[in-house]
Amino acid sequence: MKISREIKTAILVLGAIALFIWGYSFLKGNNIFDNSQKYFIEYQNVEGLTTASAVTINGLTVGKVSKITIDQQTGKLVVEILMSNPIAISTQSTATIYSPSLIGGKAISIDPIFGSNDLAENGAYLKGEVQKDMTDKLLDDLMPLKGKVELVLQNTNDMLVSLNSVLDQSMQEDLKQSVSELRGLLSASRKILAVTQPKLDGTMDNLNTMSSEFAELSQKLNTLDFQSTFANLSNATQNIDLLLAGIENGDGSIGMLLKDPTLYSNLTNASKELEELLRDLKENPKRYMHFSVFGKKAIPYQPNDSEQEQELLVE
């Protein structure tokens, strides 16, 4: 059967019209040959979301935005999404608008809440949220800082105004005079330093000499055998301790002198007798030195009362 030219032309026109309708729908985010699941989300602000924007679940692209309309009664924006990769999601799932990158546009991320028995049907409404991008977060963080900076600038301005009011003409002249006097003081200090520089150099040389001498003295002290010296000192101390212990025990002449009471008593009596003898020699020298021209006999020695008492005590 031969097909006429008119029929071929009609088929081509209808095919072109169908292809145009499919392409137009596809560009708008609709696919007339697709049986994808459709959901709706309401937002107060879509933050620049456009049709054909990606819809993801845990980073996986499962669909795209097919249409964005405005509800005339509530003023909210209704976003229609088509999920070409159908996934069972809960009615409590949240569709969040976010920025996948700093430069790219917006996208929708769905939290499906896996494991829920309350599954959303085709055409159901999901809860919508908007996640602030990094720029908005940065601006929110900078807003409090902006107020503080403005307050600091205002305080600085007030301080400068107060300073200008305090620094009148006379105050400025006084400051200039003070600066001039300070310059003169610095100049005089430089002159004094120039004069005293040689003396300071000599003092530093003397200090260097003293330092080198102390270093030599330290080296000499390091060469001394302090260990043997302290050992000898320790031995001498031990000998002294032994000597004192012997004296304490009555060993030797000094120990016997200190510890023997008889010897002490005899020495005491001898000292007293010597004292009496010297006293009697001083009072009666004729008893001991007698000169007689005519041969007269010497008076015999007679002890006095104290000597007699001492002799009785000794007996």
Side-chain angles (χ1 to χ4, degrees):
M1 180 180 178
K2 187 177 179 180
I3 300 176
S4 64
R5 181 182 292 181
E6 290 80 4
I7 296 175
K8 292 180 179 179
T9 303
I11 293 173
L12 290 174
V13 171
L14 292 175
I17 293 173
L19 183 62
F20 174 77
I21 294 173
W22 177 84
Y24 180 75
S25 299
F26 181 80
L27 291 175
K28 290 183 65 177
N30 297 323
N31 191 350
I32 59 177
F33 301 106
D34 191 7
N35 57 352
S36 302
Q37 291 182 347
K38 183 185 296 184
Y39 298 101
F40 297 94
I41 310 122
E42 289 183 345
Y43 297 100
Q44 291 290 347
N45 192 335
V46 295
E47 300 290 338
L49 185 72
T50 61
T51 57
S53 296
V55 178
T56 63
I57 293 179
N58 297 336
L60 175 65
T61 302
V62 295
K64 59 185 174 180
V65 176
S66 59
K67 186 187 296 184
I68 300 177
T69 59
I70 299 178
D71 189 343
Q72 298 295 332
Q73 295 181 357
T74 61
K76 294 183 178 181
L77 297 173
V78 180
V79 177
E80 179 186 283
I81 62 174
L82 292 175
M83 295 180 60
S84 58
N85 186 8
I87 296 177
I89 60 176
S90 172
T91 56
Q92 302 299 324
S93 299
T94 303
T96 304
I97 298 176
Y98 73 102
S99 298
S101 63
L102 293 176
I103 302 176
K106 300 290 184 176
I108 294 178
S109 175
I110 297 179
D111 181 12
I113 309 179
F114 293 109
S116 175
N117 295 325
D118 187 12
L119 299 179
E121 298 180 355
N122 188 20
Y125 275 79
L126 302 178
K127 181 181 179 181
E129 291 183 356
V130 178
Q131 183 184 71
K132 293 184 179 180
D133 55 12
M134 295 181 63
T135 304
D136 295 335
K137 291 181 180 179
L138 183 61
L139 290 176
D140 292 340
D141 294 337
L142 290 178
M143 286 304 295
L145 183 61
K146 177 184 176 182
K148 294 181 180 179
V149 171
E150 290 178 352
L151 181 60
V152 170
L153 292 176
Q154 182 65 32
N155 293 334
T156 304
N157 187 29
D158 296 340
M159 184 182 66
L160 292 176
V161 172
S162 302
L163 186 62
N164 290 330
S165 62
V166 170
L167 295 177
D168 54 2
Q169 188 65 29
S170 60
M171 181 67 72
Q172 294 178 3
E173 294 296 331
D174 293 339
L175 288 176
K176 291 180 181 179
Q177 184 177 359
S178 299
V179 172
S180 178
E181 292 176 353
L182 181 59
R183 290 177 179 174
L185 179 61
L186 292 175
S187 178
S189 300
R190 292 193 188 96
K191 293 180 180 179
I192 293 173
L193 183 61
V195 173
T196 58
Q197 186 65 37
K199 296 182 180 179
L200 291 176
D201 293 338
T203 302
M204 294 302 297
D205 292 337
N206 294 333
L207 290 176
N208 291 330
T209 303
M210 292 175 62
S211 177
S212 61
E213 291 178 354
F214 276 120
E216 293 178 358
L217 179 61
S218 177
Q219 292 178 357
K220 292 179 180 179
L221 291 176
N222 289 331
T223 57
L224 294 177
D225 191 2
F226 286 102
Q227 186 174 3
S228 61
T229 303
F230 283 110
N232 294 331
L233 182 61
S234 178
N235 293 331
T237 304
Q238 293 178 358
N239 294 331
I240 293 174
D241 292 337
L242 293 175
L243 179 61
L244 293 176
I247 294 174
E248 183 69 21
N249 295 329
D251 298 336
S253 300
I254 299 177
M256 293 177 63
L257 180 62
L258 295 177
K259 294 295 182 177
D260 191 355
T262 304
L263 180 60
Y264 175 78
S265 178
N266 293 334
L267 289 175
T268 302
N269 294 332
S271 175
K272 289 182 179 181
E273 291 178 357
L274 181 60
E275 182 181 357
E276 294 293 335
L277 177 61
L278 292 175
R279 183 184 298 111
D280 185 69
L281 178 62
K282 182 177 181 181
E283 293 176 356
N284 303 299
K286 293 181 179 181
R287 293 180 180 178
Y288 307 96
M289 293 179 295
H290 178 69
F291 297 94
S292 178
V293 179
F294 302 101
K296 186 178 180 179
K297 294 182 179 179
I299 301 173
Y301 172 73
Q302 293 181 356
N304 53 23
D305 297 336
S306 61
E307 291 176 349
Q308 292 179 356
E309 292 176 359
Q310 185 64 29
E311 288 178 356
L312 291 175
L313 290 174
V314 173
E315 292 177 356

mmCIF file of all heavy atoms in Angstrom, residues 250-275:
data_model
loop_
_atom_site.group_PDB
_atom_site.id
_atom_site.type_symbol
_atom_site.label_atom_id
_atom_site.label_comp_id
_atom_site.label_asym_id
_atom_site.label_seq_id
_atom_site.Cartn_x
_atom_site.Cartn_y
_atom_site.Cartn_z
ATOM 1 N N GLY A 250 89.107 9.741 132.263
ATOM 2 C CA GLY A 250 90.169 9.795 133.261
ATOM 3 C C GLY A 250 91.481 9.233 132.782
ATOM 4 O O GLY A 250 92.378 8.973 133.609
ATOM 5 N N ASP A 251 91.621 9.054 131.475
ATOM 6 C CA ASP A 251 92.887 8.554 130.939
ATOM 7 C C ASP A 251 93.881 9.699 130.833
ATOM 8 O O ASP A 251 93.535 10.837 130.504
ATOM 9 C CB ASP A 251 92.664 7.929 129.565
ATOM 10 C CG ASP A 251 91.715 6.739 129.649
ATOM 11 O OD1 ASP A 251 91.613 6.150 130.742
ATOM 12 O OD2 ASP A 251 91.061 6.427 128.608
ATOM 13 N N GLY A 252 95.191 9.353 131.063
ATOM 14 C CA GLY A 252 96.236 10.362 130.932
ATOM 15 C C GLY A 252 96.325 11.276 132.130
ATOM 16 O O GLY A 252 95.545 11.198 133.085
ATOM 17 N N SER A 253 97.322 12.181 132.067
ATOM 18 C CA SER A 253 97.573 13.095 133.193
ATOM 19 C C SER A 253 96.428 14.072 133.369
ATOM 20 O O SER A 253 95.970 14.322 134.489
ATOM 21 C CB SER A 253 98.889 13.854 132.948
ATOM 22 O OG SER A 253 99.963 12.931 132.828
ATOM 23 N N ILE A 254 95.945 14.609 132.222
ATOM 24 C CA ILE A 254 94.861 15.591 132.330
ATOM 25 C C ILE A 254 93.588 14.917 132.834
ATOM 26 O O ILE A 254 92.849 15.466 133.665
ATOM 27 C CB ILE A 254 94.632 16.275 130.972
ATOM 28 C CG1 ILE A 254 95.891 17.022 130.534
ATOM 29 C CG2 ILE A 254 93.447 17.219 131.033
ATOM 30 C CD1 ILE A 254 95.802 17.672 129.173
ATOM 31 N N GLY A 255 93.348 13.691 132.369
ATOM 32 C CA GLY A 255 92.167 12.981 132.828
ATOM 33 C C GLY A 255 92.241 12.655 134.296
ATOM 34 O O GLY A 255 91.245 12.760 135.021
ATOM 35 N N MET A 256 93.422 12.207 134.761
ATOM 36 C CA MET A 256 93.573 11.927 136.178
ATOM 37 C C MET A 256 93.435 13.181 137.016
ATOM 38 O O MET A 256 92.862 13.162 138.111
ATOM 39 C CB MET A 256 94.942 11.278 136.427
ATOM 40 C CG MET A 256 95.085 9.885 135.808
ATOM 41 S SD MET A 256 96.735 9.208 136.052
ATOM 42 C CE MET A 256 96.764 9.097 137.842
ATOM 43 N N LEU A 257 93.976 14.302 136.471
ATOM 44 C CA LEU A 257 93.878 15.557 137.204
ATOM 45 C C LEU A 257 92.434 15.992 137.346
ATOM 46 O O LEU A 257 92.034 16.520 138.396
ATOM 47 C CB LEU A 257 94.709 16.624 136.493
ATOM 48 C CG LEU A 257 94.716 18.023 137.120
ATOM 49 C CD1 LEU A 257 95.318 17.987 138.526
ATOM 50 C CD2 LEU A 257 95.495 19.012 136.254
ATOM 51 N N LEU A 258 91.639 15.754 136.286
ATOM 52 C CA LEU A 258 90.251 16.202 136.326
ATOM 53 C C LEU A 258 89.341 15.232 137.056
ATOM 54 O O LEU A 258 88.342 15.641 137.653
ATOM 55 C CB LEU A 258 89.734 16.424 134.898
ATOM 56 C CG LEU A 258 90.414 17.549 134.113
ATOM 57 C CD1 LEU A 258 89.862 17.597 132.692
ATOM 58 C CD2 LEU A 258 90.220 18.894 134.805
ATOM 59 N N LYS A 259 89.678 13.929 137.022
ATOM 60 C CA LYS A 259 88.779 12.921 137.553
ATOM 61 C C LYS A 259 89.185 12.380 138.934
ATOM 62 O O LYS A 259 88.337 11.820 139.624
ATOM 63 C CB LYS A 259 88.688 11.748 136.557
ATOM 64 C CG LYS A 259 88.043 12.106 135.233
ATOM 65 C CD LYS A 259 86.598 12.493 135.411
ATOM 66 C CE LYS A 259 85.923 12.809 134.094
ATOM 67 N NZ LYS A 259 84.494 13.113 134.260
ATOM 68 N N ASP A 260 90.495 12.493 139.360
ATOM 69 C CA ASP A 260 90.958 11.939 140.637
ATOM 70 C C ASP A 260 90.707 12.952 141.751
ATOM 71 O O ASP A 260 91.377 13.990 141.817
ATOM 72 C CB ASP A 260 92.452 11.609 140.551
ATOM 73 C CG ASP A 260 92.902 10.785 141.751
ATOM 74 O OD1 ASP A 260 92.071 10.566 142.664
ATOM 75 O OD2 ASP A 260 94.068 10.361 141.761
ATOM 76 N N PRO A 261 89.788 12.703 142.689
ATOM 77 C CA PRO A 261 89.496 13.694 143.751
ATOM 78 C C PRO A 261 90.633 13.816 144.766
ATOM 79 O O PRO A 261 90.855 14.883 145.320
ATOM 80 C CB PRO A 261 88.214 13.136 144.385
ATOM 81 C CG PRO A 261 88.222 11.680 144.074
ATOM 82 C CD PRO A 261 88.886 11.538 142.773
ATOM 83 N N THR A 262 91.386 12.737 144.961
ATOM 84 C CA THR A 262 92.502 12.813 145.924
ATOM 85 C C THR A 262 93.578 13.751 145.430
ATOM 86 O O THR A 262 94.112 14.580 146.176
ATOM 87 C CB THR A 262 93.081 11.405 146.150
ATOM 88 O OG1 THR A 262 92.031 10.528 146.571
ATOM 89 C CG2 THR A 262 94.170 11.434 147.192
ATOM 90 N N LEU A 263 93.882 13.609 144.139
ATOM 91 C CA LEU A 263 94.892 14.493 143.563
ATOM 92 C C LEU A 263 94.431 15.934 143.604
ATOM 93 O O LEU A 263 95.208 16.853 143.888
ATOM 94 C CB LEU A 263 95.196 14.041 142.122
ATOM 95 C CG LEU A 263 96.231 14.864 141.358
ATOM 96 C CD1 LEU A 263 97.586 14.842 142.067
ATOM 97 C CD2 LEU A 263 96.367 14.348 139.924
ATOM 98 N N TYR A 264 93.142 16.114 143.348
ATOM 99 C CA TYR A 264 92.613 17.473 143.395
ATOM 100 C C TYR A 264 92.710 18.036 144.810
ATOM 101 O O TYR A 264 93.084 19.200 145.004
ATOM 102 C CB TYR A 264 91.152 17.460 142.903
ATOM 103 C CG TYR A 264 90.473 18.793 143.018
ATOM 104 C CD1 TYR A 264 90.711 19.804 142.088
ATOM 105 C CD2 TYR A 264 89.586 19.045 144.072
ATOM 106 C CE1 TYR A 264 90.089 21.018 142.216
ATOM 107 C CE2 TYR A 264 88.960 20.265 144.188
ATOM 108 C CZ TYR A 264 89.207 21.247 143.255
ATOM 109 O OH TYR A 264 88.589 22.470 143.368
ATOM 110 N N SER A 265 92.442 17.210 145.833
ATOM 111 C CA SER A 265 92.497 17.671 147.224
ATOM 112 C C SER A 265 93.933 17.988 147.628
ATOM 113 O O SER A 265 94.208 18.981 148.287
ATOM 114 C CB SER A 265 91.897 16.617 148.144
ATOM 115 O OG SER A 265 91.991 17.017 149.491
ATOM 116 N N ASN A 266 94.889 17.104 147.184
ATOM 117 C CA ASN A 266 96.293 17.349 147.523
ATOM 118 C C ASN A 266 96.785 18.640 146.887
ATOM 119 O O ASN A 266 97.520 19.419 147.506
ATOM 120 C CB ASN A 266 97.147 16.172 147.056
ATOM 121 C CG ASN A 266 96.834 14.907 147.848
ATOM 122 O OD1 ASN A 266 96.379 14.984 149.011
ATOM 123 N ND2 ASN A 266 97.062 13.753 147.250
ATOM 124 N N LEU A 267 96.399 18.854 145.625
ATOM 125 C CA LEU A 267 96.807 20.095 144.956
ATOM 126 C C LEU A 267 96.196 21.309 145.650
ATOM 127 O O LEU A 267 96.853 22.346 145.782
ATOM 128 C CB LEU A 267 96.391 20.064 143.482
ATOM 129 C CG LEU A 267 97.176 19.088 142.586
ATOM 130 C CD1 LEU A 267 96.581 19.067 141.191
ATOM 131 C CD2 LEU A 267 98.660 19.495 142.524
ATOM 132 N N THR A 268 94.956 21.145 146.093
ATOM 133 C CA THR A 268 94.321 22.271 146.784
ATOM 134 C C THR A 268 95.031 22.564 148.101
ATOM 135 O O THR A 268 95.299 23.728 148.453
ATOM 136 C CB THR A 268 92.847 21.945 147.043
ATOM 137 O OG1 THR A 268 92.191 21.659 145.794
ATOM 138 C CG2 THR A 268 92.132 23.114 147.699
ATOM 139 N N ASN A 269 95.374 21.508 148.879
ATOM 140 C CA ASN A 269 96.080 21.712 150.148
ATOM 141 C C ASN A 269 97.465 22.295 149.921
ATOM 142 O O ASN A 269 97.923 23.165 150.674
ATOM 143 C CB ASN A 269 96.186 20.378 150.888
ATOM 144 C CG ASN A 269 94.828 19.866 151.317
ATOM 145 O OD1 ASN A 269 93.901 20.666 151.547
ATOM 146 N ND2 ASN A 269 94.698 18.554 151.448
ATOM 147 N N ALA A 270 98.143 21.781 148.867
ATOM 148 C CA ALA A 270 99.488 22.310 148.588
ATOM 149 C C ALA A 270 99.414 23.767 148.219
ATOM 150 O O ALA A 270 100.282 24.567 148.607
ATOM 151 C CB ALA A 270 100.133 21.488 147.451
ATOM 152 N N SER A 271 98.371 24.133 147.478
ATOM 153 C CA SER A 271 98.232 25.534 147.102
ATOM 154 C C SER A 271 97.984 26.390 148.332
ATOM 155 O O SER A 271 98.530 27.483 148.462
ATOM 156 C CB SER A 271 97.074 25.669 146.111
ATOM 157 O OG SER A 271 96.831 27.017 145.798
ATOM 158 N N LYS A 272 97.163 25.883 149.251
ATOM 159 C CA LYS A 272 96.908 26.660 150.464
ATOM 160 C C LYS A 272 98.163 26.775 151.326
ATOM 161 O O LYS A 272 98.450 27.831 151.892
ATOM 162 C CB LYS A 272 95.790 26.006 151.262
ATOM 163 C CG LYS A 272 94.432 26.151 150.593
ATOM 164 C CD LYS A 272 93.332 25.535 151.447
ATOM 165 C CE LYS A 272 91.979 25.701 150.798
ATOM 166 N NZ LYS A 272 90.893 25.138 151.616
ATOM 167 N N GLU A 273 98.917 25.686 151.453
ATOM 168 C CA GLU A 273 100.155 25.741 152.262
ATOM 169 C C GLU A 273 101.153 26.701 151.645
ATOM 170 O O GLU A 273 101.851 27.445 152.350
ATOM 171 C CB GLU A 273 100.756 24.337 152.357
ATOM 172 C CG GLU A 273 99.921 23.379 153.201
ATOM 173 C CD GLU A 273 100.505 21.991 153.227
ATOM 174 O OE1 GLU A 273 101.528 21.786 152.535
ATOM 175 O OE2 GLU A 273 99.951 21.115 153.928
ATOM 176 N N LEU A 274 101.262 26.673 150.317
ATOM 177 C CA LEU A 274 102.171 27.608 149.655
ATOM 178 C C LEU A 274 101.721 29.038 149.892
ATOM 179 O O LEU A 274 102.547 29.931 150.110
ATOM 180 C CB LEU A 274 102.218 27.300 148.156
ATOM 181 C CG LEU A 274 103.146 28.184 147.331
ATOM 182 C CD1 LEU A 274 104.604 28.068 147.815
ATOM 183 C CD2 LEU A 274 103.059 27.801 145.848
ATOM 184 N N GLU A 275 100.411 29.231 149.897
ATOM 185 C CA GLU A 275 99.897 30.585 150.137
ATOM 186 C C GLU A 275 100.219 31.026 151.557
ATOM 187 O O GLU A 275 100.633 32.174 151.801
ATOM 188 C CB GLU A 275 98.383 30.595 149.901
ATOM 189 C CG GLU A 275 97.756 31.976 150.082
ATOM 190 C CD GLU A 275 96.275 31.941 149.869
ATOM 191 O OE1 GLU A 275 95.738 30.847 149.531
ATOM 192 O OE2 GLU A 275 95.627 33.003 150.031
#
